[in-house]
């Protein structure tokens, strides 16, 4: 499985292409032919590496999908039997018919959405303020925001647990919404600052001349223009909240259990059920994956441009 | 409607250095006034203070007799055209032009009429439903104008509105802008660092340098009688030739070059022996064969422009630029004669801050 | 001195020190108002727990042993240095992190180069890249467990099919191979994000730089070395820092992949997992807090290390104010 | 023994009352299906107590979750699942409600009751009894030329039979050594069969005695020298995988929990006729086994302990126990049911259990169980992998165990 | 060293449309040749083909007699100055200038000498240790030049190297560039869309339009005898006045305007009755009081430039631009006289593709 490794620098490959073209003395016009042949060789190599890389990224997930739609008996043997006739959605039907599975699903959705909304509301407004403000501690503040990511959740797990329990929020969606907000909000601010900085100040000046107040500028000019950023950040926040396992494991017991926790629980001591685990895995992944794919253009922009600039 | 008076207006961003030093002048109603100066001289700052986008640090601004310097921008009845146009990317052309009116709660029907009127004036009708990103640079520029026009304000402010256009379009739009002003007759303040724009467009020009007002006058005053050396250098293309000269009993001599002219109309005070002498290149005549009374010069560089030719020559080490009409048949290194006698004299004190000639 | 006493007091207390008139002060107040809620929320939600964790780490707090929790000073931190389990976990973490961070960043650059070339289905390829990114870590663990199961995993089937092995390899049964599987699984998950970062960075390199370099006589390899790499330097730094943070914090995948044990034989117990086991399985919360805080210090230390290595601490600081020019 | 409870001093043992009512919440592991699919409903009908929630959680997750809950003095659950190790750990910490002798129904098997007690205090009631026995594949025995109905009675017999049985993708033996508990169980089983023990009477670890070293050595030999143990044993983290392996005919002999039986005889698997069941082959003793009984206990922070106790007792009733045996293959917790003819005829393994229960069945549940097992299993796995010798592995583990246990003094 | 021959060079990016249609010309050794044309006409494409940054689709390019069109850029011995300078942002000025030499394994000492020499020539010594981002636009431009000079290639290629500079700096750098070329004498190909740059800098100009070569000649040829209407319009500022005219027995008449001139030197074939007539604005004379023989016109717009004034007038609905020297004292709406008799005639076929006058 060292294929991706060889992909390291295709740019650094062309020399290998010389194999296909007879080497010519340097700096002679006839060398042009080899130039073309070399290009073709590089192209072939590029496509090959590309296919390998994409297989690496997609195949594992597809295999889990396969696991979820074939009876375990077909797969847990020397050579898997992928007879299409054996295809069955029974495991999906079973899980989705079980309230003990639907409840976590609902919890995840509620927690994810609420967290996203709160983070976007607080975070984008703060990011706007930060983007427009110039003061000495600004960089430090941004850096502090980012350095919250350096804190392992494990440091906060016990204290958070105690706080949450004291507030009487243990095993409620609110517990998760609050803690996720703490972890995601700094990231949202960090990402959104970049987007707001990209909005030309002259637009806001124009709006002021046109008669907008401060809130109106925020609402009518800045927010719509940062919409792609909001979308990207929102998807990012949602996926982060949706995917969390650790905090949900610590801060919930049953009522507010989320999908990842439920999914992880399919590997028990006496009832290891690979098909259910795979099915739950697919179900857990699909919503966020669809979201990610739908918003992919924004995400790429949001994650990268929001995160790294200059 | 639209007389603007700046009275000792002053701006400092950091509380220490001045971006604009106490500036006073009056923009007459209906006039087109240009703020001209190099980058960083405080043009935009001045314009922003008039607009209310920046607070004044001192002094007062009045429009039609009413003090406005404490009013927010939207209470000042003015429109602003930005260098980058500042069109709202998420709104159509129509919405862009209507936005200012909507914010002012103008009735729907009125808005529509005024937007369509402005669009017609600028031939923007076909684009009303497009977003700014689907327009060319020139079209965007027109939308920015349209947005200002639709508002029908008492005062138009422009901050280098043409500088993002390419040369051809810039010339064309400049002409359109001038025509528009002739039609609308609204007071306009226009910022540019391009002297040609300033000369062609303005009723009056305010030349600024390092936050100070160097001269305020009509284009002809500015060009024919620059008040300071800075103005003389900044206005006019190609740039004026400037020499350290000596003024002595009515004669001006540029030491070591053999250039000497009678100082017609130059007022000399005791202190003004050492002066600065300016001669515009297009007022110098180049003779391929040196003639009597010509300064002898060696050709250094020839730059034909089609209708004229710029010739850089050296006179005893001092460089001199002359512009001759048509194509001039000279070669680098060739000896030519330069006749300076026909040139108008621009004489300034040695520090360049005061004009001595009339 | 006299000058400043003459000027009217322009600066109300608590506001950033800048000049300006009424409107500008209003703007600043407004912006501060916008920032306040988020900053306060983050402060509140982090300050207390971190303080609490620090306090815990100074106590002997083992729920199973005793309901009394005496103050023990830095004993817990002292224990870190003598605890062989911590040492081993640290070693494993270094192994895991060095590979995931260095190889991850290197591979991601390679992948990004692959994906920035022109080809027909480039948009689709970049979409597919998002698949691993969207897979929750828990599912990631399950998935690789299915694949690397020694009896029924598809990995063995494929390798047997290719003739690379002839008897099934028990991937998850030895500590080293389980750790390698874990690295493999984590790489799968982390590469897309890093690759996306680098794709954006590569796209930001002006094409003319490459053209200038080729005119200057640089071939493909030297263009990569002299133009590409230096141009995406800040992104490399960012990726190294971010990935270091994540690598030190890896948990979910280990938990699921190893049935919650960090096994076999503790082979996949990184310090973060060790902190978890100490805190939640052994209920030794004081020591657990000390371990966790040591991780935090480590993360910050490594971030500083990368910054110093790149001699560019100013980059992070400058980012807040830099504006993209159109 | 180290039975001094550290914090449960205030708790007076709970005795049954007649006036139990209200509602309770139950947290179980995911071993049993019968509660969710009927027993709970019947309990509600029979007692008038409402079961607000019956939740099943992953066994692997449960310890940490319970510990977290308890240390937060949470009362979300009135009844929690327990077994030998947790009864000790949580009981000693004062997190489980001690029961009075009057709360224990008559005839409960001592081994099963042991799993819910620690240091002489009963902290719960068992829900099923369990011990490992030997299962073998008669078809494979026949194929290998061995007598299909005769079980190997000694370790050596077992090893030589396993050798005969190994080949052609089939292994003579397989085990579940993949996780912490699994490694410990497999070692403990051989240790007991070799006549050894975990701790001496002063709770000093003695599993590194000669007997212990020999026991681990035998286990290692199965894998590394005799090569009769399926290599996948090292990655099997749960008995259900082992169940599948045996049921698929990949392993000829396994030592496994009773739940192996229904899986093996299920449709599409080996079938009744092919599954042999017997007691474990001995080394120094004829036989011995490890205990896997589970039970329910009452959260000490529960607000409705009386009703919770009702549930505990209800689970031990004959009707529930019979269903448990018949549907899931676990052993009943009362001796009367163990003798029940209908039960034994249906499940031959019940009589095997009866036989096995003549010998030692232990688990060594203790408050330090999870810490010690963690250390010990690391050593065992390393020894299995040949990375260290059994002696070194056990000595090191014993050292660490002493340190850990010392904290509990 | 440095003669470039383009022989039927052709480029198509998509295999269907041509970005550059079969173009042939020779750039003589040591000449400064400008490719001039509007945006998208194929200037950069041509230059890139010469550089080897784009493959040719057809035809051949030879430098000093050797075919180069299949060689990679680094084998062609040329330097390229980009519009955006393409300075390596992570290298100092020194490293930028040394990079090309390093890549060619020039000895260290040689590199140092040549870099310092180039830096001195461009007054870049104080900046050698700076990164490009710490330089002003003009300084960056000079570094880009320096990078090219340090290499001492046979051929310099420039792709609009001045267009990112502001007007003042552009003029100054243009002059420096011309001087530099005079000193170095290396063959240079220069792309621009600015006719003034082309006229001032070039030995020869290649005017391009839509991928085709319109005219190749000296600045004077291009300005005085534009080969096509396109060249006439594109070269010369302000732009030439063009009319549909009728050529009849030696007389040119612009119908309906009263403009009529004798067609001196115009060769007429049978088909050329309907022609296009071009008159340069600066060759028209405006009389504030109409005189005999003048065309009568109404002033529409006045744009003073200082040394001259552009006057747009309408003659019976047709617009006409004239440039008069100095400030002209006229007002919009005023009636003036325009004397066209002194203007050189530029007569083209009706489709503008062929010149009829000499
Ligand atoms: N927001 C600001 N904060 C601090 N200083 C500023 C600010 N805006 C402008 N300045 C400074 O004030 C001075 C005048 O700037 P201004 O923008 O008015 O110049 P300008 O004449 O418009 O120049 P340009 O032609 O480059 O637009 C400059 O020195 C500038 O650096
Ligand atoms: N890489 C490319 N792929 C496809 N078409 C191209 C490419 N580069 C240029 N073209 C097209 O070829 C034609 C000529 O382009 P070129 O860049 O040579 O024009 P140009 O004269 O340099 O214009 P400009 O002054 O805008 O730089 C244009 O129609 C352009 O759209
Ligand atoms: Mg400005
Ligand atoms: Mg171009």
């Amino acid at each position: 499985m060292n294929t991706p490794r060889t992909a390291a620098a295709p740019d650094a490959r062309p020399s290998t292409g010389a194999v296909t073209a007879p080497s010519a003395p340097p700096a002679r016009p006839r060398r042009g032919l080899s130039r073309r042949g070399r290009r073709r060789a590089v192209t072939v190599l590029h496509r090959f590496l590309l296919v390998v890389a994409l297989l690496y990224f997609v195949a594992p997930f597809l295999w889990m999908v396969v696991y979820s739609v074939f009876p375990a008996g077909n797969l847990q043997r020397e050579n898997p039997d992928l007879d299409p006739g054996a295809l069955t959605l029974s495991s999906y039907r079973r899980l989705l018919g079980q309230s003990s599975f639907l409840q976590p699903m609902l919890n995840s959705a509620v927690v994810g959405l609420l967290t996203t909304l709160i983070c976007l509301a607080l975070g984008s407004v703060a990011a706007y303020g930060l983007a427009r403000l110039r003061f000495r501690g600004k960089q430090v503040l941004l850096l502090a925001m980012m350095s919250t990511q350096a804190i392992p959740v494990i440091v906060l797990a016990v204290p958070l647990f105690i706080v949450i329990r004291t507030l009487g929020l243990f095993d409620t969606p609110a517990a998760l919404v609050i803690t996720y907000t703490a972890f995601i909000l700094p990231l949202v601010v960090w990402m959104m600052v970049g987007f707001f900085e990209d909005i030309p100040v002259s637009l806001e000046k124009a709006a002021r001349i046109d008669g907008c107040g401060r809130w109106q500028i925020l609402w009518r000019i800045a927010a719509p223009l940062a919409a792609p950023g909001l979308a990207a950040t929102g998807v990012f926040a949602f996926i982060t909240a949706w995917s969390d396992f650790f905090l949900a494991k610590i801060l919930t017991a049953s009522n507010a259990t989320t999908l990842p926790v439920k999914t992880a629980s399919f590997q028990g001591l006496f009832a290891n059920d690979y098909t259910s685990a795979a099915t739950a895995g697919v179900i857990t992944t699909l919503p966020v994956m669809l979201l990610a794919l739908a918003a992919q253009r924004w995400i790429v922009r949001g994650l990268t441009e929001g995160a790294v600039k200059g | 409607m639209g007389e603007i008076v700046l009275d000792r207006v002053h701006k400092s961003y950091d509380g220490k250095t001045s971006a604009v030093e106490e500036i006073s002048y009056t923009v007459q109603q209906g006039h087109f006034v240009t703020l001209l100066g190099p980058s960083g001289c405080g043009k935009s700052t001045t314009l922003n203070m008039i607009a209310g986008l920046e607070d004044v640090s001192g002094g007062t601004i009045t429009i039609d007799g009413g003090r406005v310097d404490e009013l927010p921008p939207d209470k000042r009845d003015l429109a602003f055209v930005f260098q980058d146009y500042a069109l709202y990317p998420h709104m159509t052309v129509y919405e862009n032009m209507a936005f200012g009116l909507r914010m002012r709660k103008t009735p729907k029907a009125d808005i529509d009429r005024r937007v369509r009127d402005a669009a017609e004036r600028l031939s923007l009708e076909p684009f009303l439903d497009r977003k700014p990103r689907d327009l060319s640079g020139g079209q965007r520029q027109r939308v920015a104008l349209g947005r200002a026009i639709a508002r029908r304000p008492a005062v138009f402010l422009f901050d280098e509105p043409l500088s993002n256009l390419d040369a051809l379009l810039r010339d064309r739009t400049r002409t359109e802008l001038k025509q528009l002003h002739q039609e609308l007759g609204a007071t306009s303040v226009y910022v540019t660092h391009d002297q040609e724009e300033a000369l062609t467009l303005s009723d009056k020009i305010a030349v600024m340098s390092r936050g100070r007002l160097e001269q305020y006058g009509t284009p002809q005053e500015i060009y024919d009688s620059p008040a300071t050396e800075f103005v003389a250098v900044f206005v006019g293309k190609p740039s004026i030739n400037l020499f350290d000269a000596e003024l002595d009993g009515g004669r001006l001599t540029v030491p070591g070059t053999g250039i000497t002219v009678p100082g017609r109309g130059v007022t000399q005070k005791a202190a003004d022996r050492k002066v600065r002498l300016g001669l515009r290149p297009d007022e110098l005549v180049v003779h391929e064969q040196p003639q009597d009374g010509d300064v002898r010069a060696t050709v250094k560089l020839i730059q034909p422009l089609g209708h004229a030719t710029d010739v850089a020559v050296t006179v005893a080490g001092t460089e001199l630029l002359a512009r001759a009409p048509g194509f001039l048949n000279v070669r680098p290194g060739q000896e030519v004669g330069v006749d300076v006698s026909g040139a108008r004299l621009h004489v300034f004190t040695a520090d360049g801050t005061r004009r001595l000639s009339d | 001195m006299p000058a400043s006493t003459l000027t009217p007091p322009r600066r109300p207390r608590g506001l950033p020190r800048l000049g300006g008139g009424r409107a500008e002060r209003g703007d600043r107040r407004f912006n501060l108002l916008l920032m306040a809620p988020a900053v306060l929320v983050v402060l509140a939600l982090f300050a207390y727990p971190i303080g609490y964790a620090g306090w815990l780490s100074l106590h002997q707090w083992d729920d199973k042993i005793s309901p009394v929790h005496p103050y023990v000073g830095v004993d817990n931190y002292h224990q870190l240095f003598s605890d062989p389990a911590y040492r081993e976990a640290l070693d494993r973490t270094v192994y895991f992190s060095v590979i995931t961070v260095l190889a991850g960043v290197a591979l991601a650059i390679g992948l990004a180069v692959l994906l920035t070339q022109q080809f027909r289905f480039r948009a689709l390829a970049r979409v597919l890249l998002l698949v691993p990114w969207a897979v929750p870590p828990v599912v990631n663990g399950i998935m690789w467990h299915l694949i690397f199961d020694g009896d029924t995993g598809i990995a063995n089937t494929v390798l047997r099919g290719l003739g690379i092995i002839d008897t099934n390899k028990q991937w998850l049964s030895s500590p080293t191979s389980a750790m390698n599987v874990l690295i493999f699984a984590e790489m799968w998950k982390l590469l897309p994000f890093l690759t996306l970062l680098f794709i954006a960075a590569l796209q930001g390199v002006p094409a003319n730089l490459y053209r200038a370099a080729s005119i200057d006589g640089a071939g493909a390899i030297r263009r990569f070395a002299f133009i590409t790499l230096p141009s995406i330097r800040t992104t490399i730094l960012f990726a190294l820092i971010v990935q270091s943070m994540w690598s030190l914090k890896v948990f979910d995948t280990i938990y699921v992949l190893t049935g919650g044990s960090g096994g076999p034989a503790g082979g996949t117990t990184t310090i973060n997992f060790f902190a978890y086991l100490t805190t939640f399985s052994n209920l030794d919360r004081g020591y657990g807090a000390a371990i966790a805080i040591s991780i935090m210090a480590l993360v910050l230390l490594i971030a500083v290390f990368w910054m110093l290595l790149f001699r560019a601490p100013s980059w992070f600081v400058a980012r807040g104010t830099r504006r993209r020019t159109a | 023994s180290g039975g001094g409870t550290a914090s449960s001093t205030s708790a007076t043992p709970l005795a049954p009352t007649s006036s139990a009512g209200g509602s309770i919440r139950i947290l179980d592991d995911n071993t049993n299906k019968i509660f969710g699919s009927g027993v709970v409903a019947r309990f509600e009908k029979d007692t008038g107590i409402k079961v607000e929630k019956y939740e099943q959680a992953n066994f692997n997750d449960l310890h940490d979750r319970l510990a977290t809950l308890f240390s937060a003095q949470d009362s979300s659950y009135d009844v929690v699942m327990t077994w030998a190790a947790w009864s000790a750990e949580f009981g000693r910490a004062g997190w489980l409600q001690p029961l009075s002798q009057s709360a224990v129904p008559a005839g409960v098997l001592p081994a099963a009751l042991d799993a819910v007690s620690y240091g002489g205090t009963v902290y719960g009631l068992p829900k099923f009894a369990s011990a490992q026995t030997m299962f073998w594949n008669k078809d494979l025995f026949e194929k290998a030329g061995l007598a299909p109905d005769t079980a190997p009675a000694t370790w050596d017999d077992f090893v030589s039979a396993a050798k005969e049985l190994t080949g052609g993708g089939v292994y003579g033996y397989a085990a579940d050594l993949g996780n912490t508990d699994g490694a410990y169980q497999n070692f403990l089983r051989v240790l007991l069969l070799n006549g050894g023990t975990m701790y001496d009477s002063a709770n000093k670890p003695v599993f590194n005695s000669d007997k212990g070293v020999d026991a681990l050595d035998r286990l290692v030999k199965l894998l590394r020298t005799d090569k009769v143990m399926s290599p996948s044993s090292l990655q099997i983290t749960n008995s259900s995988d082992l169940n599948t392996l045996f049921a698929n005919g990949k392993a000829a002999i396994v030592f496994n929990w009773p739940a192996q039986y229904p899986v093996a005889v299920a449709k599409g698997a080996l079938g009744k006729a092919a599954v042999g069941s017997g007691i474990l082959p001995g080394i120094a003793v004829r036989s011995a086994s490890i205990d896997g009984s589970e039970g329910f206990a009452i959260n000490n922070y529960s607000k409705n302990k009386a009703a919770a106790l009702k549930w505990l007792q209800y689970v031990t009733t004959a009707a529930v126990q019979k269903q448990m045996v018949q549907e899931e293959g676990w052993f009943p917790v009362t001796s009367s049911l163990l003798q029940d003819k209908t039960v034994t005829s249906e499940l031959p393994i019940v009589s095997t259990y009866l036989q096995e229960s003549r010998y030692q069945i232990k688990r060594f549940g203790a408050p330090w169980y999870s810490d010690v097992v963690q250390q010990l299993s690391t050593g065992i796995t390393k020894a299995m992998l040949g990375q260290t010798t059994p002696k070194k592995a056990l000595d090191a583990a014993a050292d660490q165990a002493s340190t850990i246990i010392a904290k509990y003094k």
Side-chain angles (χ1 to χ4, degrees), chain B residues 6 9-11 18-25 33-50 189-193 198 205-217 222 228 230-235:
Chain B
L6 277 69
V9 168
H10 170 243
K11 174 75 186 183
S18 294
V20 171
E21 279 175 27
E22 316 214 320
I23 277 188
S24 306
Y25 52 81
V33 168
T34 301
L35 309 186
L36 176 67
S39 183
C41 73
K43 308 180 297 288
S44 298
T45 303
T46 309
L47 200 69
N48 286 337
M49 287 191 290
I50 298 176
V189 184
Y190 185 102
V191 162
T192 183
H193 59 251
I205 299 174
V207 184
M208 295 180 72
S209 161
R210 306 222 211 128
R212 274 177 296 107
L213 181 65
E214 296 274 329
Q215 188 171 6
Y216 185 56
I222 301 279
T228 64
F230 176 85
V231 176
V233 171
F234 201 76
V235 179

Side-chain angles (χ1 to χ4, degrees), chain D residues 5-182:
Chain D
T5 49
S7 56
S8 62
T9 42
S10 65
T12 37
L14 182 67
T17 49
S18 49
S19 60
S23 63
I24 56 168
R25 281 169 294 190
I26 303 167
L27 179 57
D28 195 3
D29 72 350
N30 52 357
T31 309
N32 305 107
K33 294 204 171 78
I34 57 165
F35 301 121
S37 63
V39 174
V40 166
R42 286 210 309 277
F43 170 72
E44 286 182 311
K45 209 164 83 216
D46 292 354
T47 61
I49 295 169
K50 181 156 172 38
V51 176
E52 220 169 88
K53 177 183 293 168
Y54 169 77
E55 193 198 339
Q56 293 190 282
N58 185 339
F59 179 88
N60 285 345
D61 295 342
L62 208 49
H63 170 270
D64 299 354
R65 215 170 124 186
L66 288 175
T68 311
L69 282 172
F70 289 142
S71 62
Q73 316 196 341
D74 187 85
S75 57
S76 311
Y77 296 98
D78 303 284
V79 176
V80 298
M81 176 265 171
T82 188
W83 64 292
W86 300 353
S87 303
E89 180 179 334
F90 299 152
R92 180 181 183 278
W95 291 334
L96 300 180
Q97 170 62 50
L99 302 186
S100 93
Q101 208 51 49
S102 61
V104 181
V108 169
L109 295 169
L113 195 62
D114 204 39
V116 292
S117 314
Y118 177 68
T121 311
V122 178
Y123 290 104
L125 295 179
K127 58 175 176 172
F128 61 73
S130 169
Q132 289 195 334
T133 55
M134 176 162 62
F135 297 88
W136 69 91
N137 186 329
K138 291 184 181 171
D139 293 345
L140 291 177
F141 266 58
E142 223 158 46
K143 242 184 253 169
L146 299 169
D149 293 319
T150 321
T154 67
W155 189 264
D156 294 336
D157 288 351
F158 154 67
V159 173
S160 60
K163 279 183 186 161
E164 297 291 322
L165 290 159
T166 299
V170 173
Y171 282 93
Y173 177 68
D176 53 343
L177 283 149
N179 68 356
T180 324
D181 261 320

Side-chain angles (χ1 to χ4, degrees), chain D residues 167-211:
Chain D
V170 173
Y171 282 93
Y173 177 68
D176 53 343
L177 283 149
N179 68 356
T180 324
D181 261 320
Y184 168 68
Q185 287 170 26
N186 277 279
F187 167 69
L188 176 60
R189 194 195 304 112
V190 198
L191 179 70
L192 294 174
L193 289 171
N194 206 16
T197 184
M198 282 292 287
Y199 310 105
D200 67 10
S201 54
N203 271 333
K204 184 176 163 324
V206 292
F207 51 76
N208 58 335
S209 62
D210 291 347
K211 287 184 171 168

